[in-house]
Amino acid sequence: MRIFTAALATETNTFSPICIDRRAFEASLYAPPGQHPETPTLCSAPITVGRRVCAEKGWELIEGTAAWADPAGLLNRAAYEGLRDEVLEQLKAAMPVDAVVLGLHGAMVAAGYEDTEGDILSRVREIVGPDIRIFAELDPHSHLTAKRFAAADVFVYFKEFPHTDFVDRAEDLWRIAVDTLEGRVNPVMSVFDCRMIDVFPTSRDPMRSFVDKLMQIEREDADILSISVIHGFMAGDVPEMGTKLLVVTNDNAAKGSALARELGMELFAKRGTFMMPQIDEKQAVSEALAATSWPVVIADMWDNPGGGTAGDATVLLEELLARGVTDAAIGTIWDPMAVQICMAAGEGAEIPLRFGAKSAPGTGNPVDGIVKVVRIVPNAEMRFGESFAPFGDSAHIVLDGIDIILNSTRAQSFDPTLFSVMGIEPTSKKILVIKSTNHFFASFSKIAAEIIYCAAGTPYPNNPAKTPYRRARKDIWPMIDDPHGLTQGAV
């Protein structure tokens, strides 16, 4: 067998002011054919898992480019078309192939392309023809469009949020691919539109139990090859935004459709109950100060670079400073210019500095003060599961007794190594402020005495009922209360 594999992915918050071009991929991951590192990024696990699978099977794996950019705003059109065509030309050169296995995200939007993954997949289909199987792994914070559904044979999405299972789901994808190519199964996808948009952390019920149920069905029913919840991405203002339920069966579309509907309506029945309770910055700091065991982690949920924001909000920092709090650490505030100033000043310098809150309204105010530059780390990285996440040239500064990490590459707070690589021992602090909605939970929960979820400022459109969408559909919950017509008895 000859299998072609590649990855092209980013998550686009269409409300974010942080537009990106090819340089964003080069800063996060740009690996030409054969140069992908041994450890995968979030959306490139099909390549690293494929290396092992194909070696074991004696198959030829033909690697194309792998490119990933951290979540941001709109992708430059020329950058998208250039990276897309690079992969497509590699596929053409590899022909004939027996299958294509891709790593995608599912919420990428480029100028002129609302459905980039649909565009990529349909062009791949044109190249390989109707009979060659196309498999893809995707992030659940994405949009399942009719165009991409029609172009591919099998989609497998991460089940966990935080996304600790991206390697496991790549294993699932390759298992289905191998069984398909060796003639043991004939995968068929069925999808149900839940007609809703919500946030589904699997670190708590009811989503934890729901995902456990999906995995039990997969284990116990031989007809069911995979079940995925496409959460949807509420910061993507595109026409087919929303939550969907996808079932892949072994040649049993009717069973798949019935199960997708049953599970989708079960999910819909729990709408509005999945998110963790959130409090504002004043209450969050008060609760942290009242704690008797530490560290207390305050998650600045909505200034989350993992959702495409800048990550430069200062709302929580301003509250800590106003309350005279010390023995706290902030990780991170994105400000490349401030980092450059600190690097020029050097470790040990005390300098006047203005930093933060430059990107958009609702992120607080720039902070001014005399800071001490404690540590400079070029090309800093933190752990993220089996991989590493770069946060760029970074500076550890101290302002009025608060340790602050300034970074030059936007990244959410995945792991406590964010602090330790900058010379801050996270467990020695009473309060840790991080920027992440839920990906932090898997690692920070291991050291936190308490986790507080904070909605500080308005850097992210987190209330779909009030978000000023221009392109997204308006016929789903919570934009309307009863999109399935349940009160009229129509299901």
Side-chain angles (χ1 to χ4, degrees), residues 192-198 241-243 261 264-265 267-269 271 473-491:
F192 177 74
D193 184 356
C194 300
R195 301 183 71 88
M196 63 188 285
I197 184 67
D198 209 338
M241 184 267 287
T243 303
R261 182 182 185 83
M265 289 306 296
L267 201 69
F268 180 79
R271 64 197 180 280
R473 55 201 296 204
K474 308 297 194 301
D475 61 344
I476 63 174
W477 182 90
M479 291 75 149
I480 61 175
D481 291 333
D482 188 19
H484 288 284
L486 298 177
T487 56
Q488 288 78 41
V491 178

Side-chain angles (χ1 to χ4, degrees), residues 280-364:
D280 68 17
E281 66 277 5
K282 294 184 182 300
Q283 186 178 349
V285 172
S286 293
E287 290 190 10
L289 290 174
T292 56
S293 56
W294 305 279
V296 174
V297 171
I298 303 178
D300 191 355
M301 292 180 61
W302 299 117
D303 188 32
N304 173 21
T309 69
D312 69 345
T314 59
V315 178
L316 267 165
L317 173 58
E318 290 182 286
E319 183 65 22
L320 292 170
L321 290 169
R323 305 274 283 270
V325 175
T326 58
D327 211 5
I330 312 286
T332 59
I333 293 176
W334 178 67
D335 195 328
M337 184 60 70
V339 171
Q340 288 185 32
I341 293 170
C342 291
M343 294 180 78
E347 293 181 353
E350 292 191 9
I351 59 173
L353 188 68
R354 167 171 282 200
F355 61 92
K358 295 181 175 68
S359 66
T363 57

Side-chain angles (χ1 to χ4, degrees), residues 39-56:
T39 56
T41 62
L42 189 67
C43 293
S44 67
I47 295 174
T48 57
V49 171
R51 286 173 177 172
R52 177 187 56 76
V53 171
C54 289
E56 291 173 354

Side-chain angles (χ1 to χ4, degrees), residues 17 87 96 127 181 244 246 288 319 352 374 378 381 395 406 448 484:
V87 170
I127 293 168
L181 295 172
K244 296 184 172 74
L246 179 74
E319 183 65 22
V374 178
E381 294 182 321
L406 305 175
H484 288 284

Side-chain angles (χ1 to χ4, degrees), residues 122-156:
S122 62
R123 291 172 187 268
V124 169
R125 176 58 70 196
E126 289 174 4
I127 293 168
V128 301
D131 300 325
I132 299 300
R133 302 286 190 158
I134 300 173
F135 305 85
E137 182 187 26
L138 301 99
D139 188 304
H141 294 126
S142 59
H143 319 291
L144 178 52
T145 68
K147 185 175 184 178
R148 63 187 71 172
F149 184 83
D153 293 282
V154 175
F155 291 141
V156 172

